[in-house]
Amino acid sequence: MTELLIEFFSEEIPARMQARAADDLKRLVTDKLAANGLTFAKAEAHSTPRRLALVVDGLPERTADVREEKKGPRVGSPEQAVAGFLKSAGLDSLDQCEQRDTGKGVFYFAVTEKKGRETAAVLAEIIPAAMAELPWPKSMRWGTGTVRWVRPLHSIIALFGGRVLDGGYDIGGTQGRVAFGNVTRGHRFLAPDAFTVESFADYKEKLLAAKVVLDREERKAKIKADAEALAAAQGLTLSPDDALLEEVAGLVEWPVVLMGGIDESFMDVPSEVLITSMRTHQKYFAVLDAEGRMAPRFIVVANTETLDGGKAVVAGNERVLRARLSDAKFFWDQDRKTKLEARVPALEKITFHAKLGTVAEKVTRVQLLAAEIARAIGADSDAASRAALLCKADLVTEVVGEFPEVQGIMGRYYALGQGESADVANAIADHYKPLGPSDSCPTAPVSVSVALADKIDTLVGFFAIDEKPTGSKDPYALRRAALGVIRLVLENGLRVKLSEIFAAAHGAYTVSGFAPAGSVGGDLMSFFADRLKVVLREKGVRHDLVDAVFALGGEDDLVRLLARVKALQAFVGSEEGANLAAAYKRASNIVRIEEKKDGASFDQPVDADRLAQDEEKALFAALNEASATAKPLLDAEDFTGTMAALAKLRGPVDAFFDKVTVNAEDKDLRANRLRLLTQIRTTLNAVADFSKIEG
């Protein structure tokens, strides 16, 4: 078995494209290998700023011989059918075909045998084809070339068993073809000379000697370890930032981690602004002191070693950072001269959506809704209204204009500096939360009220103008908003009726004239049901159980719904519950068939005087007892107790199906027994629609 090594060496590939491109290269090449009948042991892709590499191990020297048979028309078929068959099989005459008796007649068969090919020849076709199909988000032409690539391509390594493959990649124009070879280069500055390689092990070893760490995960680990060591030497800790670590690993081939200082004059600027400025513009890591506050230091990752140990690099980065932070400090100082409330009118100049008005109008709606939600959950409605009024005001500040990532956070700082209460200030900072599954969820009642109001206003508005998510498209992040509402409700155990909140939100829109008068509650609850399935599936809850509870209708209390679903899951997971669910389906199927046959309904009360056998009498009594026991338990939201009461039906139901013939010859007896089966369905459906339960 033989090794294939590929490297595409180019100008710097944007950091955000590298890992995806390596995965795409691996997928394209391995798919083409499989399509050509070439098996392999393993494939491994790598990326650095200037190269994509792929090694595939365990390839055969030749593809296998292939025998193909194609069945044709019956012997004696019309000439047109025979001619079409010969053409499709690539044959000239019937003499090249076999005749076989299949038991259903004698048919022509075309048999072709394809000899295996040298793997090297196949690879010479696969590599340029894969290169042409690489789906770069952005690409370019250079020189006189006509073919697009992410950045100008300098060389291609294509080795199979240590031998250079014949072929290359045509750039077009007068630039011709980049031929396959066995030559690459190391670090642009530290080891720029060309060198040859013989295998992947040789390639990786020589790259390391030429100051290139090929493995992305190794570069990330080195950056993190060196940064943590530098910080620890100063009694500090590295501020975790996995996204920045991922990006920086795509900017360097030979990471050299250095520490610089921040002027103390900038440290009164909120740390979120400093960190955002450093990471967004300069790709610096922040460090924290023993109390978890931002320290006046930063970590920079250089792509080169210097004779002075990085002193000049640090000094240069400190100068650049000083200029960046001077702007941030100026904006911070200027913003604090104007109160948040005075900025609210400026929101009239920002359009929320053409059909839904301005951000100022959204704020008015959120104010009303936040106060109503606050009253429903026992929060301070005045504080919620105040926070809602101010929650978007920082959008027109200079700091947020420069650093949109800190919207809400800056509002909190400005609010506290202007004498607003902590509840109001924190609600301003928290009203966008949670932004995703890894984001924290507000717990303070005022913050929860404003966060819910903001998200529900958005959901109701876009549903009212029929801008709902479709397929994978969700331009207004409505799925994220719904998941945020679900988390806010469930994690805080809020006993609220979502349909009433939706109606209140929609009412605020209709008053302002931006949304149609028709209700959106039904569509939104269905949308929430789908989102809730996503949330619960991650917790191991089956989606059909959510459907079974939602199918009852009128359930818009998510806390109660979740309790019901959990009790139902435990019930159907037990032997009694599983058997009872099966009996439900059996009873429902019998009733449905008979209703269809007779064109009649069997939902009338059971006639106790017509119960003939002991088993049906026992079932009738058990159903009545279960209903009587379950109702107060349901009203008290004791769903586990309700399920336990229903579990007692298993014995009478099993006995009924064992001993009682439903389709009795006596028409009235038969109808009464069908009503008894209908009562089984009605009794169980009091807690969930068991027809939705799978299995």
Side-chain angles (χ1 to χ4, degrees), residues 103 119 154 165 185 257 283 342 389 448 558 596 639-640 683:
T119 299
H154 293 309
L165 294 169
R185 295 176 183 272
V257 181
K283 314 306 176 189
L389 171 67
V448 170
L558 296 185
K596 187 175 181 180
F639 301 115
T640 301
T683 302

Side-chain angles (χ1 to χ4, degrees), residues 155-318:
S155 64
I156 302 172
I157 289 177
L159 294 178
F160 181 61
R163 301 183 300 276
V164 177
L165 294 169
D166 290 333
Y169 187 60
D170 193 359
I171 302 299
T174 59
Q175 292 182 242
R177 187 175 70 163
V178 179
F180 295 156
N182 62 349
V183 177
T184 189
R185 295 176 183 272
H187 192 281
R188 183 184 288 275
F189 307 115
L190 301 176
D193 294 336
F195 56 86
T196 61
V197 299
E198 298 176 355
S199 65
F200 177 68
D202 183 48
Y203 169 71
K204 189 174 182 180
E205 182 181 345
K206 287 181 177 177
L207 277 180
L208 189 61
K211 305 296 186 181
V212 175
V213 179
L214 177 65
D215 190 289
R216 186 183 192 86
E217 294 304 316
E218 288 181 20
R219 293 199 303 277
K220 287 167 60 178
K222 177 174 172 53
I223 292 168
K224 185 176 180 181
D226 290 356
E228 288 175 341
L230 268 181
Q234 300 283 331
L236 306 171
T237 57
L238 181 69
S239 178
D241 196 332
D242 290 341
L244 181 59
L245 179 61
E246 188 71 39
E247 184 176 7
V248 171
L251 297 174
V252 296
E253 290 194 319
W254 188 252
V256 177
V257 181
L258 304 166
M259 178 178 281
I262 303 172
D263 288 351
E264 287 288 348
S265 61
F266 298 122
M267 296 310 292
D268 67 333
V269 179
S271 60
E272 292 89 348
V273 176
L274 300 179
I275 291 172
T276 300
S277 179
M278 291 195 304
R279 76 182 305 278
T280 302
H281 297 299
Q282 305 305 130
K283 314 306 176 189
Y284 298 160
F285 292 88
V287 290
L288 309 175
D289 63 18
E291 283 75 41
R293 297 171 304 198
M294 182 179 170
R297 298 285 187 275
F298 67 90
I299 299 288
V300 59
V301 183
N303 189 35
T304 189
E305 297 171 343
T306 58
L307 295 176
D308 64 357
K311 292 180 181 178
V313 173
V314 170
N317 280 278
E318 287 176 341

